[in-house]
Amino acid sequence: MLLTVICAILGIGLFLIYRWISQNFKYWDQYGMIPSVLGRLFSANIWDVLTFRTNWGLQLKVIYEDPKYKNDAVVGVYALQPALLVRDPELIKSILIRDFECFSKRFLESDLHHDPIGSKTLFLGRYELWKELRSKFSPSFSSGKLKQMYPLFQEVGANLETYLHKQGNRFVCEFKDLAQMFTIATTIFGFSSNSLENPKEELNYQSRQLAHFNFRRFLNMLIIC
């Protein structure tokens, strides 16, 4: 008898979860003027992202370039929750510039109490903190500052050119590794990392660790969301 009750409770629970997820994938159906991409159960529109076949940006690019949406200003998509892919340039300008105050809430926000470091970054910080940090960083990217950096850009570019010449006319490399070694530590930290000649250099190693993506890091990102 007890086993029957437990099975019934589990069955009802699974059915309610299924219904909740199914309703979540019908979110955009209530807006008849908004076309949407059909979402898969438990994986939405991110199955290829979950299986590491692509990333979310490229997945959105595929949807953006789909011919059946070429005349649509927006397209409804499903990630961890319903989202809107904006295609119209004027709408994008309105969201990012003219009416930005109405769209200030960030999709990824780290909790201040449980992640005090992550919550103070530009990417994961809440709007108030983001606005404060942006006002401090913006002067660093003024036209005058960029002009001062330009000779340093040329120096780093020349180092890359020299490195490529040393490899000969044809060689095989992992482009991601080459891009990571081609850093601009000179302009940011004020020193030359020389990672092209010394791939084991500490800054290069730490940047690789920061950019390394695996299933555990993916789960961490899900927790943040």
Side-chain angles (χ1 to χ4, degrees):
M1 180 65 180
L2 180 61
L3 181 61
T4 303
V5 173
I6 293 175
C7 290
I9 293 174
L10 288 175
I12 293 173
L14 291 174
F15 175 75
L16 292 175
I17 293 174
Y18 171 80
R19 288 288 298 174
W20 178 76
I21 295 176
S22 299
Q23 288 297 118
N24 191 49
F25 288 157
K26 295 179 180 179
Y27 178 84
W28 294 113
D29 293 347
Q30 61 185 310
Y31 303 100
M33 299 296 292
I34 299 179
S36 62
V37 181
L38 182 65
R40 296 178 182 177
L41 189 63
F42 298 116
S43 63
N45 299 138
I46 58 174
W47 176 250
D48 288 340
V49 179
L50 294 175
T51 54
F52 296 97
R53 296 177 183 175
T54 185
N55 59 57
W56 183 228
L58 290 177
Q59 182 68 15
L60 288 178
K61 184 174 182 288
V62 171
I63 299 173
Y64 181 91
E65 295 178 345
D66 194 321
K68 65 182 178 183
Y69 302 124
K70 65 179 182 179
N71 296 321
D72 296 309
V74 294
V75 180
V77 296
Y78 298 97
L80 300 177
Q81 57 186 353
L84 199 62
L85 173 61
V86 184
R87 302 182 73 258
D88 181 68
E90 287 301 318
L91 277 178
I92 295 174
K93 186 183 296 185
S94 178
I95 292 171
L96 296 179
I97 302 176
R98 291 193 294 264
D99 301 315
F100 179 73
E101 294 291 334
C102 301
F103 298 93
S104 59
K105 182 174 174 57
R106 308 175 70 81
F107 175 67
L108 291 177
E109 287 187 353
S110 184
D111 185 84
L112 178 62
H113 301 289
H114 295 90
D115 186 8
I117 296 178
S119 61
K120 294 181 180 179
T121 65
L122 277 173
F123 298 104
L124 301 177
R126 298 185 178 182
Y127 174 66
E128 294 76 13
L129 178 64
W130 173 88
K131 188 175 182 180
E132 179 183 353
L133 291 176
R134 186 176 182 275
S135 64
K136 292 180 179 179
F137 284 136
S138 292
S140 301
F141 298 96
S142 63
S143 59
K145 294 291 180 62
L146 292 176
K147 286 180 181 179
Q148 293 178 8
M149 293 180 188
Y150 186 69
L152 300 177
F153 292 152
Q154 288 181 306
E155 178 185 341
V156 176
N159 291 339
L160 176 63
E161 187 176 2
T162 302
Y163 172 81
L164 293 177
H165 280 306
K166 289 182 179 179
Q167 309 308 310
N169 293 328
R170 299 182 63 181
F171 69 99
V172 178
C173 72
E174 176 61 48
F175 190 78
K176 182 179 179 181
D177 293 338
L178 179 63
Q180 287 179 330
M181 288 188 293
F182 176 58
T183 63
I184 52 172
T186 304
T187 60
I188 298 176
F189 299 107
F191 73 95
S192 178
S193 64
N194 198 29
S195 57
L196 288 170
E197 299 295 335
N198 180 21
K200 296 182 180 181
E201 191 272 333
E202 185 66 20
L203 178 63
N204 181 42
Y205 171 77
Q206 294 298 338
S207 65
R208 286 170 183 266
Q209 294 298 109
L210 185 65
H212 180 65
F213 193 79
N214 52 31
F215 187 71
R216 179 178 180 181
R217 180 158 291 185
F218 175 76
L219 292 179
N220 291 339
M221 293 301 295
L222 287 182
I223 294 173
I224 291 175
C225 297

